[in-house]
Amino acid sequence: MAVQLLMGNEAIGLGAINAGVSLVSGYPGTPSTEILETVAKNNPEGKIHVEWSVNEKAALEVAAGASYAGARTMVTMKQVGLNVASDPLMSLAYVGVKGGMVIVAADDPGPISSQTEQDTRHFGEFSKLPVFDPASPEEAYEMVGEAFAYSEEYGTPVLLRPTTRVCHGCAVVKVKEGRPVCKPEGFIKDTGRWVIFPRLSYQNHKKIEE
Protein backbone atom coordinates (compact mmCIF):
# COMPACT_ATOMS: atom_id res chain seq x y z
CA MET A 1 0.00 0.00 0.00
CA ALA A 2 1.46 3.34 -1.09
CA VAL A 3 0.78 6.74 0.44
CA GLN A 4 0.27 9.50 -2.12
CA LEU A 5 -0.71 13.15 -2.16
CA LEU A 6 -3.70 13.18 -4.50
CA MET A 7 -6.30 15.54 -5.84
CA GLY A 8 -9.79 14.25 -5.09
CA ASN A 9 -10.44 13.47 -8.75
CA GLU A 10 -7.19 11.50 -8.93
CA ALA A 11 -8.27 9.55 -5.85
CA ILE A 12 -11.58 8.67 -7.52
CA GLY A 13 -9.84 7.57 -10.71
CA LEU A 14 -7.31 5.42 -8.85
CA GLY A 15 -10.10 4.05 -6.66
CA ALA A 16 -11.91 2.87 -9.77
CA ILE A 17 -8.76 1.21 -11.12
CA ASN A 18 -8.12 -0.53 -7.80
CA ALA A 19 -11.75 -1.70 -7.76
CA GLY A 20 -11.29 -3.48 -11.10
CA VAL A 21 -13.13 -1.11 -13.43
CA SER A 22 -13.20 -2.30 -17.05
CA LEU A 23 -14.68 0.75 -18.78
CA VAL A 24 -14.72 4.46 -18.01
CA SER A 25 -16.71 6.84 -20.21
CA GLY A 26 -17.68 10.44 -19.71
CA TYR A 27 -17.96 13.98 -20.94
CA PRO A 28 -15.49 16.64 -19.77
CA GLY A 29 -16.64 19.39 -17.45
CA THR A 30 -15.20 21.05 -14.36
CA PRO A 31 -15.05 19.82 -11.63
CA SER A 32 -15.09 16.21 -12.90
CA THR A 33 -12.64 16.18 -15.83
CA GLU A 34 -9.50 14.83 -14.12
CA ILE A 35 -11.22 11.58 -13.07
CA LEU A 36 -11.26 10.07 -16.55
CA GLU A 37 -7.88 11.60 -17.36
CA THR A 38 -6.37 9.90 -14.29
CA VAL A 39 -7.65 6.50 -15.43
CA ALA A 40 -6.28 7.10 -18.94
CA LYS A 41 -2.84 8.08 -17.58
CA ASN A 42 -2.68 4.99 -15.37
CA ASN A 43 -3.77 2.55 -18.07
CA PRO A 44 -0.48 1.83 -19.90
CA GLU A 45 -1.48 -1.60 -21.19
CA GLY A 46 -4.89 -0.40 -22.35
CA LYS A 47 -6.80 -3.04 -20.38
CA ILE A 48 -9.41 -0.46 -19.37
CA HIS A 49 -11.55 1.01 -22.14
CA VAL A 50 -11.49 4.79 -21.65
CA GLU A 51 -13.41 7.24 -23.83
CA TRP A 52 -14.68 10.78 -23.97
CA SER A 53 -18.16 10.30 -25.42
CA VAL A 54 -20.04 12.81 -27.58
CA ASN A 55 -22.23 13.74 -24.59
CA GLU A 56 -23.26 12.48 -21.16
CA LYS A 57 -26.23 10.49 -22.47
CA ALA A 58 -24.02 8.56 -24.87
CA ALA A 59 -21.42 7.99 -22.14
CA LEU A 60 -24.04 6.49 -19.84
CA GLU A 61 -25.40 4.24 -22.58
CA VAL A 62 -21.91 2.98 -23.49
CA ALA A 63 -21.30 2.08 -19.84
CA ALA A 64 -24.73 0.47 -19.52
CA GLY A 65 -23.99 -1.90 -22.40
CA ALA A 66 -20.76 -3.04 -20.76
CA SER A 67 -22.47 -3.35 -17.40
CA TYR A 68 -25.16 -5.61 -18.88
CA ALA A 69 -22.29 -7.93 -19.82
CA GLY A 70 -21.01 -7.98 -16.24
CA ALA A 71 -18.18 -5.44 -16.49
CA ARG A 72 -17.56 -2.84 -13.80
CA THR A 73 -18.07 0.60 -15.33
CA MET A 74 -17.78 4.23 -14.32
CA VAL A 75 -19.32 7.30 -15.97
CA THR A 76 -18.05 10.81 -15.21
CA MET A 77 -19.74 14.19 -15.68
CA LYS A 78 -20.53 17.41 -13.84
CA GLN A 79 -23.88 18.01 -12.19
CA VAL A 80 -25.57 19.66 -15.18
CA GLY A 81 -24.47 16.72 -17.34
CA LEU A 82 -26.82 14.51 -15.35
CA ASN A 83 -29.67 16.48 -16.94
CA VAL A 84 -28.44 15.35 -20.36
CA ALA A 85 -28.12 11.74 -19.16
CA SER A 86 -31.44 11.66 -17.31
CA ASP A 87 -33.32 9.66 -19.99
CA PRO A 88 -31.16 6.50 -19.81
CA LEU A 89 -30.59 7.10 -16.09
CA MET A 90 -34.28 6.78 -15.24
CA SER A 91 -34.60 3.63 -17.34
CA LEU A 92 -31.47 2.12 -15.76
CA ALA A 93 -33.01 2.62 -12.34
CA TYR A 94 -35.75 0.19 -13.44
CA VAL A 95 -33.72 -2.16 -15.66
CA GLY A 96 -30.79 -2.44 -13.27
CA VAL A 97 -27.26 -3.65 -14.05
CA LYS A 98 -25.17 -6.81 -13.72
CA GLY A 99 -21.65 -5.42 -13.43
CA GLY A 100 -21.22 -2.63 -10.91
CA MET A 101 -21.92 0.84 -12.32
CA VAL A 102 -20.83 4.06 -10.61
CA ILE A 103 -22.09 7.33 -12.07
CA VAL A 104 -19.94 10.23 -10.88
CA ALA A 105 -21.87 13.52 -10.95
CA ALA A 106 -19.51 16.17 -9.59
CA ASP A 107 -21.53 18.94 -7.96
CA ASP A 108 -20.42 22.56 -8.07
CA PRO A 109 -21.86 24.46 -5.10
CA GLY A 110 -21.48 28.17 -5.59
CA PRO A 111 -21.48 27.69 -8.53
CA ILE A 112 -17.79 28.23 -9.28
CA SER A 113 -17.59 27.05 -12.90
CA SER A 114 -21.10 26.01 -13.91
CA GLN A 115 -24.21 27.37 -15.55
CA THR A 116 -26.46 26.46 -12.62
CA GLU A 117 -26.19 25.27 -9.04
CA GLN A 118 -27.72 21.83 -8.57
CA ASP A 119 -27.68 19.18 -5.87
CA THR A 120 -27.41 15.63 -7.20
CA ARG A 121 -28.83 14.27 -3.95
CA HIS A 122 -32.23 15.50 -5.11
CA PHE A 123 -31.71 13.63 -8.39
CA GLY A 124 -30.93 10.52 -6.38
CA GLU A 125 -34.18 10.89 -4.47
CA PHE A 126 -36.08 11.49 -7.73
CA SER A 127 -34.59 8.45 -9.50
CA LYS A 128 -34.62 6.23 -6.38
CA LEU A 129 -30.89 5.59 -6.77
CA PRO A 130 -28.44 5.48 -3.85
CA VAL A 131 -26.04 8.40 -3.53
CA PHE A 132 -22.52 8.13 -2.07
CA ASP A 133 -21.51 11.57 -0.77
CA PRO A 134 -17.79 11.81 0.12
CA ALA A 135 -16.56 14.65 2.33
CA SER A 136 -12.85 14.34 1.47
CA PRO A 137 -10.49 12.85 -1.14
CA GLU A 138 -9.75 9.98 1.27
CA GLU A 139 -13.45 9.16 1.61
CA ALA A 140 -13.91 9.46 -2.15
CA TYR A 141 -11.18 6.87 -2.75
CA GLU A 142 -12.72 4.38 -0.32
CA MET A 143 -16.29 5.02 -1.43
CA VAL A 144 -15.58 4.07 -5.04
CA GLY A 145 -14.89 0.46 -4.08
CA GLU A 146 -17.87 0.43 -1.72
CA ALA A 147 -20.10 1.88 -4.44
CA PHE A 148 -19.13 -0.87 -6.91
CA ALA A 149 -19.81 -3.56 -4.31
CA TYR A 150 -23.18 -2.03 -3.43
CA SER A 151 -24.12 -1.72 -7.10
CA GLU A 152 -23.46 -5.40 -7.75
CA GLU A 153 -25.13 -6.59 -4.55
CA TYR A 154 -28.39 -4.81 -5.36
CA GLY A 155 -28.14 -4.81 -9.17
CA THR A 156 -28.53 -1.06 -9.46
CA PRO A 157 -26.46 1.86 -10.69
CA VAL A 158 -25.26 4.18 -7.92
CA LEU A 159 -24.40 7.87 -7.88
CA LEU A 160 -21.16 9.24 -6.46
CA ARG A 161 -21.43 12.94 -5.61
CA PRO A 162 -18.12 14.67 -4.96
CA THR A 163 -18.26 18.47 -4.77
CA THR A 164 -15.77 20.94 -6.27
CA ARG A 165 -13.87 21.18 -2.99
CA VAL A 166 -13.55 17.40 -2.79
CA CYS A 167 -12.68 17.05 -6.49
CA HIS A 168 -9.97 19.72 -6.47
CA GLY A 169 -8.79 19.50 -2.87
CA CYS A 170 -5.65 17.50 -2.12
CA ALA A 171 -5.00 15.01 0.65
CA VAL A 172 -2.74 12.11 1.59
CA VAL A 173 -4.43 8.90 0.49
CA LYS A 174 -3.44 5.28 1.15
CA VAL A 175 -3.58 3.71 -2.32
CA LYS A 176 -3.81 -0.05 -2.70
CA GLU A 177 -1.32 -1.70 -5.01
CA GLY A 178 -2.33 -3.89 -7.91
CA ARG A 179 -5.61 -4.27 -9.73
CA PRO A 180 -8.01 -7.20 -9.38
CA VAL A 181 -8.68 -9.23 -12.51
CA CYS A 182 -12.37 -9.02 -13.32
CA LYS A 183 -13.58 -11.18 -16.19
CA PRO A 184 -17.10 -10.15 -17.28
CA GLU A 185 -19.49 -13.05 -17.77
CA GLY A 186 -20.73 -11.59 -21.05
CA PHE A 187 -24.19 -10.54 -22.15
CA ILE A 188 -26.91 -13.15 -21.60
CA LYS A 189 -30.15 -12.56 -23.46
CA ASP A 190 -33.05 -12.22 -21.04
CA THR A 191 -36.13 -10.36 -22.26
CA GLY A 192 -37.61 -10.60 -18.79
CA ARG A 193 -34.87 -8.33 -17.47
CA TRP A 194 -33.27 -6.20 -20.18
CA VAL A 195 -36.41 -5.23 -22.11
CA ILE A 196 -38.33 -2.65 -20.11
CA PHE A 197 -41.98 -3.31 -21.00
CA PRO A 198 -44.73 -1.68 -18.88
CA ARG A 199 -45.45 -4.89 -16.95
CA LEU A 200 -41.77 -5.28 -16.08
CA SER A 201 -41.63 -1.60 -15.13
CA TYR A 202 -44.52 -2.12 -12.73
CA GLN A 203 -42.84 -5.13 -11.13
CA ASN A 204 -39.47 -3.39 -10.86
CA HIS A 205 -41.04 -0.26 -9.42
CA LYS A 206 -42.21 -2.27 -6.43
CA LYS A 207 -38.72 -3.73 -6.00
CA ILE A 208 -37.18 -0.24 -6.12
CA GLU A 209 -39.56 1.01 -3.43
CA GLU A 210 -38.71 -1.98 -1.23
Side-chain angles (χ1 to χ4, degrees):
M1 185 173 290
V3 177
Q4 298 184 40
L5 178 65
L6 298 174
M7 181 194 293
N9 281 342
E10 293 174 324
I12 293 170
L14 292 178
I17 293 172
N18 294 147
V21 73
S22 295
L23 179 146
V24 180
S25 57
Y27 188 78
T30 303
S32 70
T33 306
E34 296 87 359
I35 299 170
L36 187 145
E37 291 177 344
T38 297
V39 177
K41 290 174 183 177
N42 290 274
N43 185 32
E45 298 178 4
K47 293 183 177 180
I48 304 170
H49 177 81
V50 183
E51 73 164 67
W52 285 127
S53 301
V54 294
N55 58 39
E56 294 88 349
K57 179 179 184 291
L60 187 56
E61 290 169 342
V62 166
S67 184
Y68 293 163
R72 283 191 166 186
T73 64
M74 174 176 276
V75 190
T76 69
M77 62 193 72
K78 65 188 299 177
Q79 87 281 12
V80 293
L82 203 55
N83 301 338
V84 181
S86 60
D87 180 39
L89 177 75
M90 299 304 293
S91 295
L92 273 173
Y94 276 64
V95 174
V97 296
K98 182 163 65 174
M101 174 187 271
V102 177
I103 303 165
V104 182
D107 278 8
D108 186 24
I112 297 170
S113 61
S114 303
Q115 307 94 308
T116 60
E117 185 176 20
Q118 296 176 204
D119 190 332
T120 296
R121 291 173 294 188
H122 295 303
F123 224 122
E125 185 177 6
F126 174 55
S127 62
K128 308 286 184 174
L129 293 176
V131 180
F132 286 71
D133 193 9
S136 67
E138 302 99 316
E139 280 193 4
Y141 177 83
E142 294 295 336
M143 278 187 179
V144 172
E146 294 169 2
F148 276 118
Y150 185 100
S151 175
E152 289 175 353
E153 181 177 355
Y154 293 98
T156 182
V158 302
L159 295 165
L160 181 71
R161 178 202 175 252
T163 61
T164 303
R165 288 156 185 81
V166 173
C167 290
H168 290 166
C170 294
V172 173
V173 179
K174 293 180 180 178
V175 179
K176 300 172 186 176
E177 297 178 0
R179 176 175 177 266
V181 178
C182 299
K183 294 184 178 180
E185 181 183 14
F187 180 75
I188 299 174
K189 185 176 180 180
D190 183 354
T191 56
R193 179 175 183 185
W194 304 123
V195 182
I196 192 72
F197 288 125
R199 182 178 179 183
L200 182 61
S201 297
Y202 176 74
Q203 294 171 344
N204 286 355
H205 181 77
K206 292 192 291 185
K207 294 178 182 178
I208 290 170
E209 292 294 340
E210 290 173 1

